[in-house]
Amino acid sequence: MLFTDRVDAGQRLAGALGHLRKADPVVLGLPRGGVPVAFQVARALGAPLDVIVVRKLGVPYHRELGFGAIGEGGVRVISDDIVRRGHVSEKDVASVERAEAAELTRQAERFRADRPRVGIRGRTVIVVDDGIATGATAAAACEVVRAQGAARVVLAVPVAPPDAVSWLRTEADEVVCLSTPRAFSAVGEWYQDFSQTPDEEVVALLAQSAADPPQPAKPEDVEVEAGPVRLAGELVLPEGSAAVVMFAHGSGSSRLSPRNRAVATALNAAGLGTLLFDLLTEPEAADRRNVFDIEVLADRLTGATAWLRTRTPVPIGYFGASTGAAAALWAASSAGPEVGAVVSRGGRPDLAGSRLPGVRAPTLLIVGGRDTTVLDLNRQAESALRCECRLVVVPGATHLFEEPGALDEVSDLARDWFTLHLTPQEP
């Protein structure tokens, strides 16, 4: 997985951390490069942002080997075993600790600019960096945060080698890492732009977060008007949303679908609005024949689109799953420019039949590699579409994308597709 820059990495990482939003977390960025990533995570989760200033205590004749770490508030974590095996004298310990304490104080004062530390005692704390090479600094940060009273420590990074992640799972309560490439030599090779983060940027981001505390996007229960029926829905419009994605569920699924809700959370973290709603009323959903009535489902989606347009003027996209994908494409074929992009997850676009050539919205078809029957049907639909279209196969995934990491990949693909086609792009 290649990241454009730290902003892109932070937005993607935020999507994978959506399950922590209800935990009321604190986000701590490791300076310097981890702070721009942490800033995006904090904004998406509606969480306070601070730095975690930690200094590793290195053995005098082998600085890479840490015998402990220190953090703000007088926190001191020492490995007696390494001190003993490394033959580090008390004098050496005191000398190294004194020098690192002075640098810790300087950095904290520089970055925080007289603002108090965000309290973390008893809280869930997400420690964020822009990537991990050896994991030593990240491990030290986790130890310091725990010693400062955090109730739960989550380490979150965009990229790290597999062995470092395995080790760090023993240091943190949870590790969230988007990419663990085996051919790993340096963090920077996984970024298009990995330019150095200056102190001034860290200071500015912390000041911005403190002056304008992030407000999480709150779901709004709505009653969607779709022609003659009223349908239960949930609308999320993050502040400054540049676009909104409507979810078309299929095969009897509803707005409560955990898979679609996971994708919606990732889209919200990237600043996109979402509308999850039921295409059928409860009595209608009880009749299985209705979930395959694509024309009715498409009419409901079209009606709901008109209703949504009364709530927001931003561009609209469709995300369809199973038979809902066919309904999304059917509705898009008559919507013209009103619908700016379509994504299908494990969908049955073939069921849109003769409507496929009329679709103008850029369309992304996502299918699991082990979902062979549906994959063949998607290939047939791809050949019938005349719009910009891309078919992506997620290796090893089955129809419901239940395999580890499979649904995360769906979320990433959907987010990138909608961001590209629904939001203004810088020249």
PDB file of all heavy atoms in Angstrom, residues 49-88:
ATOM      1  N   LEU A  49      -6.168  16.186  20.547  1.00  0.00           N
ATOM      2  CA  LEU A  49      -4.856  15.839  20.010  1.00  0.00           C
ATOM      3  C   LEU A  49      -3.763  16.419  20.888  1.00  0.00           C
ATOM      4  O   LEU A  49      -3.846  17.559  21.346  1.00  0.00           O
ATOM      5  CB  LEU A  49      -4.704  16.393  18.583  1.00  0.00           C
ATOM      6  CG  LEU A  49      -3.324  16.268  17.942  1.00  0.00           C
ATOM      7  CD1 LEU A  49      -2.995  14.801  17.651  1.00  0.00           C
ATOM      8  CD2 LEU A  49      -3.251  17.094  16.657  1.00  0.00           C
ATOM      9  N   ASP A  50      -2.725  15.631  21.107  1.00  0.00           N
ATOM     10  CA  ASP A  50      -1.547  16.103  21.830  1.00  0.00           C
ATOM     11  C   ASP A  50      -0.344  15.340  21.295  1.00  0.00           C
ATOM     12  O   ASP A  50      -0.492  14.415  20.480  1.00  0.00           O
ATOM     13  CB  ASP A  50      -1.705  15.867  23.331  1.00  0.00           C
ATOM     14  CG  ASP A  50      -0.808  16.775  24.183  1.00  0.00           C
ATOM     15  OD1 ASP A  50       0.040  17.484  23.593  1.00  0.00           O
ATOM     16  OD2 ASP A  50      -0.948  16.770  25.406  1.00  0.00           O
ATOM     17  N   VAL A  51       0.846  15.732  21.739  1.00  0.00           N
ATOM     18  CA  VAL A  51       2.045  14.982  21.389  1.00  0.00           C
ATOM     19  C   VAL A  51       2.395  14.043  22.538  1.00  0.00           C
ATOM     20  O   VAL A  51       2.046  14.297  23.697  1.00  0.00           O
ATOM     21  CB  VAL A  51       3.256  15.902  21.114  1.00  0.00           C
ATOM     22  CG1 VAL A  51       3.124  16.571  19.761  1.00  0.00           C
ATOM     23  CG2 VAL A  51       3.427  16.918  22.220  1.00  0.00           C
ATOM     24  N   ILE A  52       3.049  12.960  22.211  1.00  0.00           N
ATOM     25  CA  ILE A  52       3.632  12.092  23.222  1.00  0.00           C
ATOM     26  C   ILE A  52       5.142  12.271  23.090  1.00  0.00           C
ATOM     27  O   ILE A  52       5.747  11.769  22.137  1.00  0.00           O
ATOM     28  CB  ILE A  52       3.185  10.619  23.058  1.00  0.00           C
ATOM     29  CG1 ILE A  52       4.031   9.691  23.947  1.00  0.00           C
ATOM     30  CG2 ILE A  52       3.222  10.155  21.600  1.00  0.00           C
ATOM     31  CD1 ILE A  52       3.892   9.925  25.418  1.00  0.00           C
ATOM     32  N   VAL A  53       5.714  13.038  23.992  1.00  0.00           N
ATOM     33  CA  VAL A  53       7.150  13.292  23.958  1.00  0.00           C
ATOM     34  C   VAL A  53       7.825  12.245  24.819  1.00  0.00           C
ATOM     35  O   VAL A  53       7.619  12.186  26.032  1.00  0.00           O
ATOM     36  CB  VAL A  53       7.485  14.715  24.463  1.00  0.00           C
ATOM     37  CG1 VAL A  53       8.980  14.979  24.303  1.00  0.00           C
ATOM     38  CG2 VAL A  53       6.683  15.752  23.692  1.00  0.00           C
ATOM     39  N   VAL A  54       8.605  11.417  24.186  1.00  0.00           N
ATOM     40  CA  VAL A  54       9.283  10.330  24.878  1.00  0.00           C
ATOM     41  C   VAL A  54      10.723  10.282  24.402  1.00  0.00           C
ATOM     42  O   VAL A  54      11.009  10.524  23.230  1.00  0.00           O
ATOM     43  CB  VAL A  54       8.563   8.984  24.620  1.00  0.00           C
ATOM     44  CG1 VAL A  54       8.504   8.674  23.142  1.00  0.00           C
ATOM     45  CG2 VAL A  54       9.224   7.848  25.363  1.00  0.00           C
ATOM     46  N   ARG A  55      11.600  10.013  25.310  1.00  0.00           N
ATOM     47  CA  ARG A  55      13.018   9.903  24.963  1.00  0.00           C
ATOM     48  C   ARG A  55      13.511   8.520  25.366  1.00  0.00           C
ATOM     49  O   ARG A  55      13.352   8.095  26.499  1.00  0.00           O
ATOM     50  CB  ARG A  55      13.841  10.961  25.680  1.00  0.00           C
ATOM     51  CG  ARG A  55      13.443  12.386  25.341  1.00  0.00           C
ATOM     52  CD  ARG A  55      13.692  12.754  23.901  1.00  0.00           C
ATOM     53  NE  ARG A  55      15.113  12.653  23.543  1.00  0.00           N
ATOM     54  CZ  ARG A  55      15.576  12.901  22.322  1.00  0.00           C
ATOM     55  NH1 ARG A  55      14.725  13.218  21.334  1.00  0.00           N
ATOM     56  NH2 ARG A  55      16.864  12.807  22.080  1.00  0.00           N
ATOM     57  N   LYS A  56      14.083   7.841  24.385  1.00  0.00           N
ATOM     58  CA  LYS A  56      14.646   6.523  24.664  1.00  0.00           C
ATOM     59  C   LYS A  56      15.990   6.696  25.362  1.00  0.00           C
ATOM     60  O   LYS A  56      16.772   7.594  25.026  1.00  0.00           O
ATOM     61  CB  LYS A  56      14.826   5.765  23.350  1.00  0.00           C
ATOM     62  CG  LYS A  56      15.290   4.321  23.518  1.00  0.00           C
ATOM     63  CD  LYS A  56      15.317   3.595  22.179  1.00  0.00           C
ATOM     64  CE  LYS A  56      16.390   4.166  21.269  1.00  0.00           C
ATOM     65  NZ  LYS A  56      16.537   3.389  20.033  1.00  0.00           N
ATOM     66  N   LEU A  57      16.247   5.850  26.317  1.00  0.00           N
ATOM     67  CA  LEU A  57      17.522   5.865  27.027  1.00  0.00           C
ATOM     68  C   LEU A  57      18.404   4.768  26.445  1.00  0.00           C
ATOM     69  O   LEU A  57      18.115   3.575  26.584  1.00  0.00           O
ATOM     70  CB  LEU A  57      17.309   5.621  28.531  1.00  0.00           C
ATOM     71  CG  LEU A  57      16.344   6.588  29.243  1.00  0.00           C
ATOM     72  CD1 LEU A  57      16.175   6.194  30.704  1.00  0.00           C
ATOM     73  CD2 LEU A  57      16.834   8.026  29.130  1.00  0.00           C
ATOM     74  N   GLY A  58      19.446   5.185  25.728  1.00  0.00           N
ATOM     75  CA  GLY A  58      20.284   4.220  25.033  1.00  0.00           C
ATOM     76  C   GLY A  58      21.541   3.866  25.801  1.00  0.00           C
ATOM     77  O   GLY A  58      22.130   4.709  26.492  1.00  0.00           O
ATOM     78  N   VAL A  59      21.952   2.619  25.678  1.00  0.00           N
ATOM     79  CA  VAL A  59      23.216   2.179  26.278  1.00  0.00           C
ATOM     80  C   VAL A  59      24.343   3.040  25.697  1.00  0.00           C
ATOM     81  O   VAL A  59      24.430   3.200  24.476  1.00  0.00           O
ATOM     82  CB  VAL A  59      23.464   0.688  25.975  1.00  0.00           C
ATOM     83  CG1 VAL A  59      24.852   0.253  26.454  1.00  0.00           C
ATOM     84  CG2 VAL A  59      22.376  -0.171  26.615  1.00  0.00           C
ATOM     85  N   PRO A  60      25.208   3.629  26.537  1.00  0.00           N
ATOM     86  CA  PRO A  60      26.209   4.590  26.069  1.00  0.00           C
ATOM     87  C   PRO A  60      27.052   4.133  24.882  1.00  0.00           C
ATOM     88  O   PRO A  60      27.303   4.905  23.962  1.00  0.00           O
ATOM     89  CB  PRO A  60      27.078   4.826  27.318  1.00  0.00           C
ATOM     90  CG  PRO A  60      26.146   4.592  28.453  1.00  0.00           C
ATOM     91  CD  PRO A  60      25.254   3.481  28.008  1.00  0.00           C
ATOM     92  N   TYR A  61      27.464   2.881  24.865  1.00  0.00           N
ATOM     93  CA  TYR A  61      28.325   2.410  23.775  1.00  0.00           C
ATOM     94  C   TYR A  61      27.523   1.759  22.636  1.00  0.00           C
ATOM     95  O   TYR A  61      28.104   1.266  21.683  1.00  0.00           O
ATOM     96  CB  TYR A  61      29.354   1.395  24.321  1.00  0.00           C
ATOM     97  CG  TYR A  61      28.737   0.220  25.032  1.00  0.00           C
ATOM     98  CD1 TYR A  61      28.279  -0.889  24.329  1.00  0.00           C
ATOM     99  CD2 TYR A  61      28.601   0.233  26.419  1.00  0.00           C
ATOM    100  CE1 TYR A  61      27.699  -1.956  24.987  1.00  0.00           C
ATOM    101  CE2 TYR A  61      28.019  -0.836  27.084  1.00  0.00           C
ATOM    102  CZ  TYR A  61      27.575  -1.926  26.359  1.00  0.00           C
ATOM    103  OH  TYR A  61      26.989  -2.989  27.005  1.00  0.00           O
ATOM    104  N   HIS A  62      26.201   1.760  22.778  1.00  0.00           N
ATOM    105  CA  HIS A  62      25.341   1.161  21.752  1.00  0.00           C
ATOM    106  C   HIS A  62      23.983   1.858  21.827  1.00  0.00           C
ATOM    107  O   HIS A  62      23.020   1.314  22.348  1.00  0.00           O
ATOM    108  CB  HIS A  62      25.199  -0.335  21.999  1.00  0.00           C
ATOM    109  CG  HIS A  62      24.445  -1.083  20.932  1.00  0.00           C
ATOM    110  ND1 HIS A  62      24.171  -0.553  19.688  1.00  0.00           N
ATOM    111  CD2 HIS A  62      23.899  -2.340  20.931  1.00  0.00           C
ATOM    112  CE1 HIS A  62      23.498  -1.420  18.969  1.00  0.00           C
ATOM    113  NE2 HIS A  62      23.311  -2.514  19.706  1.00  0.00           N
ATOM    114  N   ARG A  63      23.921   3.077  21.295  1.00  0.00           N
ATOM    115  CA  ARG A  63      22.747   3.944  21.475  1.00  0.00           C
ATOM    116  C   ARG A  63      21.447   3.337  20.950  1.00  0.00           C
ATOM    117  O   ARG A  63      20.363   3.671  21.431  1.00  0.00           O
ATOM    118  CB  ARG A  63      22.993   5.297  20.796  1.00  0.00           C
ATOM    119  CG  ARG A  63      24.071   6.146  21.466  1.00  0.00           C
ATOM    120  CD  ARG A  63      23.604   6.641  22.813  1.00  0.00           C
ATOM    121  NE  ARG A  63      24.573   7.535  23.447  1.00  0.00           N
ATOM    122  CZ  ARG A  63      24.412   8.090  24.629  1.00  0.00           C
ATOM    123  NH1 ARG A  63      23.331   7.817  25.336  1.00  0.00           N
ATOM    124  NH2 ARG A  63      25.328   8.892  25.140  1.00  0.00           N
ATOM    125  N   GLU A  64      21.554   2.473  19.947  1.00  0.00           N
ATOM    126  CA  GLU A  64      20.334   1.881  19.407  1.00  0.00           C
ATOM    127  C   GLU A  64      19.680   0.918  20.387  1.00  0.00           C
ATOM    128  O   GLU A  64      18.491   0.609  20.281  1.00  0.00           O
ATOM    129  CB  GLU A  64      20.640   1.166  18.079  1.00  0.00           C
ATOM    130  CG  GLU A  64      20.905   2.105  16.913  1.00  0.00           C
ATOM    131  CD  GLU A  64      19.735   3.038  16.655  1.00  0.00           C
ATOM    132  OE1 GLU A  64      18.596   2.549  16.539  1.00  0.00           O
ATOM    133  OE2 GLU A  64      19.955   4.259  16.581  1.00  0.00           O
ATOM    134  N   LEU A  65      20.467   0.412  21.315  1.00  0.00           N
ATOM    135  CA  LEU A  65      19.929  -0.512  22.320  1.00  0.00           C
ATOM    136  C   LEU A  65      19.413   0.299  23.502  1.00  0.00           C
ATOM    137  O   LEU A  65      20.172   0.937  24.224  1.00  0.00           O
ATOM    138  CB  LEU A  65      21.024  -1.482  22.785  1.00  0.00           C
ATOM    139  CG  LEU A  65      20.614  -2.462  23.908  1.00  0.00           C
ATOM    140  CD1 LEU A  65      19.458  -3.343  23.464  1.00  0.00           C
ATOM    141  CD2 LEU A  65      21.813  -3.295  24.332  1.00  0.00           C
ATOM    142  N   GLY A  66      18.114   0.306  23.687  1.00  0.00           N
ATOM    143  CA  GLY A  66      17.527   1.092  24.758  1.00  0.00           C
ATOM    144  C   GLY A  66      17.415   0.306  26.050  1.00  0.00           C
ATOM    145  O   GLY A  66      16.972  -0.851  26.043  1.00  0.00           O
ATOM    146  N   PHE A  67      17.808   0.928  27.128  1.00  0.00           N
ATOM    147  CA  PHE A  67      17.620   0.277  28.424  1.00  0.00           C
ATOM    148  C   PHE A  67      16.443   0.875  29.183  1.00  0.00           C
ATOM    149  O   PHE A  67      16.152   0.489  30.311  1.00  0.00           O
ATOM    150  CB  PHE A  67      18.897   0.370  29.287  1.00  0.00           C
ATOM    151  CG  PHE A  67      19.312   1.765  29.693  1.00  0.00           C
ATOM    152  CD1 PHE A  67      18.719   2.406  30.784  1.00  0.00           C
ATOM    153  CD2 PHE A  67      20.298   2.441  28.998  1.00  0.00           C
ATOM    154  CE1 PHE A  67      19.096   3.688  31.162  1.00  0.00           C
ATOM    155  CE2 PHE A  67      20.690   3.720  29.372  1.00  0.00           C
ATOM    156  CZ  PHE A  67      20.090   4.355  30.455  1.00  0.00           C
ATOM    157  N   GLY A  68      15.747   1.807  28.547  1.00  0.00           N
ATOM    158  CA  GLY A  68      14.582   2.398  29.176  1.00  0.00           C
ATOM    159  C   GLY A  68      14.086   3.591  28.399  1.00  0.00           C
ATOM    160  O   GLY A  68      14.534   3.855  27.272  1.00  0.00           O
ATOM    161  N   ALA A  69      13.148   4.299  28.977  1.00  0.00           N
ATOM    162  CA  ALA A  69      12.583   5.487  28.340  1.00  0.00           C
ATOM    163  C   ALA A  69      12.042   6.406  29.427  1.00  0.00           C
ATOM    164  O   ALA A  69      11.709   5.960  30.533  1.00  0.00           O
ATOM    165  CB  ALA A  69      11.472   5.107  27.365  1.00  0.00           C
ATOM    166  N   ILE A  70      11.965   7.689  29.103  1.00  0.00           N
ATOM    167  CA  ILE A  70      11.376   8.653  30.020  1.00  0.00           C
ATOM    168  C   ILE A  70      10.312   9.443  29.280  1.00  0.00           C
ATOM    169  O   ILE A  70      10.360   9.600  28.054  1.00  0.00           O
ATOM    170  CB  ILE A  70      12.428   9.617  30.616  1.00  0.00           C
ATOM    171  CG1 ILE A  70      13.183  10.354  29.502  1.00  0.00           C
ATOM    172  CG2 ILE A  70      13.390   8.880  31.526  1.00  0.00           C
ATOM    173  CD1 ILE A  70      14.117  11.442  30.016  1.00  0.00           C
ATOM    174  N   GLY A  71       9.331   9.936  30.038  1.00  0.00           N
ATOM    175  CA  GLY A  71       8.274  10.746  29.471  1.00  0.00           C
ATOM    176  C   GLY A  71       7.946  11.897  30.398  1.00  0.00           C
ATOM    177  O   GLY A  71       8.504  12.004  31.498  1.00  0.00           O
ATOM    178  N   GLU A  72       7.036  12.725  29.970  1.00  0.00           N
ATOM    179  CA  GLU A  72       6.642  13.885  30.780  1.00  0.00           C
ATOM    180  C   GLU A  72       5.999  13.425  32.087  1.00  0.00           C
ATOM    181  O   GLU A  72       5.490  12.317  32.200  1.00  0.00           O
ATOM    182  CB  GLU A  72       5.681  14.757  29.992  1.00  0.00           C
ATOM    183  CG  GLU A  72       6.323  15.421  28.787  1.00  0.00           C
ATOM    184  CD  GLU A  72       5.323  16.243  28.015  1.00  0.00           C
ATOM    185  OE1 GLU A  72       5.144  17.434  28.342  1.00  0.00           O
ATOM    186  OE2 GLU A  72       4.698  15.686  27.091  1.00  0.00           O
ATOM    187  N   GLY A  73       6.034  14.332  33.056  1.00  0.00           N
ATOM    188  CA  GLY A  73       5.455  14.021  34.349  1.00  0.00           C
ATOM    189  C   GLY A  73       6.347  13.150  35.205  1.00  0.00           C
ATOM    190  O   GLY A  73       5.884  12.531  36.175  1.00  0.00           O
ATOM    191  N   GLY A  74       7.639  13.074  34.846  1.00  0.00           N
ATOM    192  CA  GLY A  74       8.565  12.277  35.644  1.00  0.00           C
ATOM    193  C   GLY A  74       8.445  10.782  35.432  1.00  0.00           C
ATOM    194  O   GLY A  74       8.981  10.001  36.227  1.00  0.00           O
ATOM    195  N   VAL A  75       7.773  10.358  34.370  1.00  0.00           N
ATOM    196  CA  VAL A  75       7.610   8.930  34.104  1.00  0.00           C
ATOM    197  C   VAL A  75       8.955   8.346  33.661  1.00  0.00           C
ATOM    198  O   VAL A  75       9.642   8.887  32.804  1.00  0.00           O
ATOM    199  CB  VAL A  75       6.540   8.687  33.029  1.00  0.00           C
ATOM    200  CG1 VAL A  75       6.559   7.228  32.593  1.00  0.00           C
ATOM    201  CG2 VAL A  75       5.164   9.053  33.563  1.00  0.00           C
ATOM    202  N   ARG A  76       9.300   7.240  34.262  1.00  0.00           N
ATOM    203  CA  ARG A  76      10.600   6.603  34.016  1.00  0.00           C
ATOM    204  C   ARG A  76      10.381   5.101  33.919  1.00  0.00           C
ATOM    205  O   ARG A  76       9.883   4.471  34.846  1.00  0.00           O
ATOM    206  CB  ARG A  76      11.540   6.951  35.159  1.00  0.00           C
ATOM    207  CG  ARG A  76      12.948   6.424  35.085  1.00  0.00           C
ATOM    208  CD  ARG A  76      13.734   7.006  36.272  1.00  0.00           C
ATOM    209  NE  ARG A  76      15.123   6.590  36.275  1.00  0.00           N
ATOM    210  CZ  ARG A  76      15.587   5.541  36.940  1.00  0.00           C
ATOM    211  NH1 ARG A  76      14.742   4.797  37.654  1.00  0.00           N
ATOM    212  NH2 ARG A  76      16.882   5.243  36.909  1.00  0.00           N
ATOM    213  N   VAL A  77      10.750   4.516  32.775  1.00  0.00           N
ATOM    214  CA  VAL A  77      10.610   3.078  32.572  1.00  0.00           C
ATOM    215  C   VAL A  77      12.002   2.514  32.307  1.00  0.00           C
ATOM    216  O   VAL A  77      12.647   2.876  31.325  1.00  0.00           O
ATOM    217  CB  VAL A  77       9.674   2.768  31.384  1.00  0.00           C
ATOM    218  CG1 VAL A  77       9.540   1.264  31.207  1.00  0.00           C
ATOM    219  CG2 VAL A  77       8.301   3.401  31.597  1.00  0.00           C
ATOM    220  N   ILE A  78      12.482   1.643  33.180  1.00  0.00           N
ATOM    221  CA  ILE A  78      13.830   1.099  33.079  1.00  0.00           C
ATOM    222  C   ILE A  78      13.775  -0.423  32.996  1.00  0.00           C
ATOM    223  O   ILE A  78      13.025  -1.074  33.747  1.00  0.00           O
ATOM    224  CB  ILE A  78      14.694   1.508  34.290  1.00  0.00           C
ATOM    225  CG1 ILE A  78      14.768   3.031  34.410  1.00  0.00           C
ATOM    226  CG2 ILE A  78      16.106   0.907  34.174  1.00  0.00           C
ATOM    227  CD1 ILE A  78      15.506   3.725  33.298  1.00  0.00           C
ATOM    228  N   SER A  79      14.563  -0.977  32.072  1.00  0.00           N
ATOM    229  CA  SER A  79      14.697  -2.430  31.984  1.00  0.00           C
ATOM    230  C   SER A  79      15.923  -2.845  32.791  1.00  0.00           C
ATOM    231  O   SER A  79      17.064  -2.700  32.324  1.00  0.00           O
ATOM    232  CB  SER A  79      14.837  -2.879  30.527  1.00  0.00           C
ATOM    233  OG  SER A  79      15.177  -4.252  30.469  1.00  0.00           O
ATOM    234  N   ASP A  80      15.692  -3.359  33.978  1.00  0.00           N
ATOM    235  CA  ASP A  80      16.807  -3.789  34.821  1.00  0.00           C
ATOM    236  C   ASP A  80      17.615  -4.898  34.161  1.00  0.00           C
ATOM    237  O   ASP A  80      18.841  -4.993  34.344  1.00  0.00           O
ATOM    238  CB  ASP A  80      16.287  -4.265  36.182  1.00  0.00           C
ATOM    239  CG  ASP A  80      15.676  -3.130  37.000  1.00  0.00           C
ATOM    240  OD1 ASP A  80      16.127  -1.982  36.838  1.00  0.00           O
ATOM    241  OD2 ASP A  80      14.746  -3.401  37.783  1.00  0.00           O
ATOM    242  N   ASP A  81      16.935  -5.718  33.368  1.00  0.00           N
ATOM    243  CA  ASP A  81      17.616  -6.832  32.712  1.00  0.00           C
ATOM    244  C   ASP A  81      18.657  -6.308  31.709  1.00  0.00           C
ATOM    245  O   ASP A  81      19.800  -6.792  31.673  1.00  0.00           O
ATOM    246  CB  ASP A  81      16.599  -7.716  32.002  1.00  0.00           C
ATOM    247  CG  ASP A  81      17.237  -8.918  31.328  1.00  0.00           C
ATOM    248  OD1 ASP A  81      17.937  -9.684  32.027  1.00  0.00           O
ATOM    249  OD2 ASP A  81      17.066  -9.077  30.109  1.00  0.00           O
ATOM    250  N   ILE A  82      18.268  -5.306  30.897  1.00  0.00           N
ATOM    251  CA  ILE A  82      19.210  -4.761  29.904  1.00  0.00           C
ATOM    252  C   ILE A  82      20.327  -3.993  30.605  1.00  0.00           C
ATOM    253  O   ILE A  82      21.491  -4.044  30.185  1.00  0.00           O
ATOM    254  CB  ILE A  82      18.463  -3.872  28.896  1.00  0.00           C
ATOM    255  CG1 ILE A  82      17.505  -4.720  28.051  1.00  0.00           C
ATOM    256  CG2 ILE A  82      19.443  -3.139  27.979  1.00  0.00           C
ATOM    257  CD1 ILE A  82      16.687  -3.934  27.049  1.00  0.00           C
ATOM    258  N   VAL A  83      19.986  -3.279  31.653  1.00  0.00           N
ATOM    259  CA  VAL A  83      21.014  -2.569  32.422  1.00  0.00           C
ATOM    260  C   VAL A  83      22.060  -3.557  32.946  1.00  0.00           C
ATOM    261  O   VAL A  83      23.276  -3.323  32.850  1.00  0.00           O
ATOM    262  CB  VAL A  83      20.378  -1.785  33.592  1.00  0.00           C
ATOM    263  CG1 VAL A  83      21.466  -1.286  34.546  1.00  0.00           C
ATOM    264  CG2 VAL A  83      19.567  -0.610  33.059  1.00  0.00           C
ATOM    265  N   ARG A  84      21.575  -4.680  33.437  1.00  0.00           N
ATOM    266  CA  ARG A  84      22.488  -5.679  34.000  1.00  0.00           C
ATOM    267  C   ARG A  84      23.312  -6.350  32.906  1.00  0.00           C
ATOM    268  O   ARG A  84      24.538  -6.435  33.000  1.00  0.00           O
ATOM    269  CB  ARG A  84      21.698  -6.728  34.786  1.00  0.00           C
ATOM    270  CG  ARG A  84      22.579  -7.762  35.487  1.00  0.00           C
ATOM    271  CD  ARG A  84      21.761  -8.765  36.283  1.00  0.00           C
ATOM    272  NE  ARG A  84      20.832  -9.520  35.444  1.00  0.00           N
ATOM    273  CZ  ARG A  84      19.533  -9.292  35.369  1.00  0.00           C
ATOM    274  NH1 ARG A  84      18.980  -8.321  36.076  1.00  0.00           N
ATOM    275  NH2 ARG A  84      18.762 -10.028  34.584  1.00  0.00           N
ATOM    276  N   ARG A  85      22.637  -6.807  31.852  1.00  0.00           N
ATOM    277  CA  ARG A  85      23.355  -7.506  30.795  1.00  0.00           C
ATOM    278  C   ARG A  85      24.260  -6.571  29.999  1.00  0.00           C
ATOM    279  O   ARG A  85      25.263  -7.002  29.424  1.00  0.00           O
ATOM    280  CB  ARG A  85      22.357  -8.201  29.853  1.00  0.00           C
ATOM    281  CG  ARG A  85      21.674  -9.407  30.488  1.00  0.00           C
ATOM    282  CD  ARG A  85      20.879 -10.226  29.488  1.00  0.00           C
ATOM    283  NE  ARG A  85      19.693  -9.524  28.996  1.00  0.00           N
ATOM    284  CZ  ARG A  85      19.537  -9.070  27.769  1.00  0.00           C
ATOM    285  NH1 ARG A  85      20.515  -9.212  26.889  1.00  0.00           N
ATOM    286  NH2 ARG A  85      18.430  -8.454  27.401  1.00  0.00           N
ATOM    287  N   GLY A  86      23.877  -5.284  29.928  1.00  0.00           N
ATOM    288  CA  GLY A  86      24.688  -4.318  29.194  1.00  0.00           C
ATOM    289  C   GLY A  86      25.783  -3.699  30.037  1.00  0.00           C
ATOM    290  O   GLY A  86      26.541  -2.850  29.524  1.00  0.00           O
ATOM    291  N   HIS A  87      25.868  -4.123  31.291  1.00  0.00           N
ATOM    292  CA  HIS A  87      26.901  -3.587  32.192  1.00  0.00           C
ATOM    293  C   HIS A  87      26.862  -2.064  32.236  1.00  0.00           C
ATOM    294  O   HIS A  87      27.893  -1.391  32.151  1.00  0.00           O
ATOM    295  CB  HIS A  87      28.297  -4.066  31.767  1.00  0.00           C
ATOM    296  CG  HIS A  87      28.426  -5.554  31.702  1.00  0.00           C
ATOM    297  ND1 HIS A  87      28.413  -6.369  32.815  1.00  0.00           N
ATOM    298  CD2 HIS A  87      28.527  -6.392  30.623  1.00  0.00           C
ATOM    299  CE1 HIS A  87      28.526  -7.640  32.445  1.00  0.00           C
ATOM    300  NE2 HIS A  87      28.591  -7.681  31.117  1.00  0.00           N
ATOM    301  N   VAL A  88      25.644  -1.521  32.335  1.00  0.00           N
ATOM    302  CA  VAL A  88      25.464  -0.066  32.406  1.00  0.00           C
ATOM    303  C   VAL A  88      25.533   0.346  33.879  1.00  0.00           C
ATOM    304  O   VAL A  88      24.726  -0.108  34.698  1.00  0.00           O
ATOM    305  CB  VAL A  88      24.110   0.364  31.797  1.00  0.00           C
ATOM    306  CG1 VAL A  88      23.983   1.882  31.811  1.00  0.00           C
ATOM    307  CG2 VAL A  88      23.972  -0.171  30.378  1.00  0.00           C
TER     308      VAL A  88
END
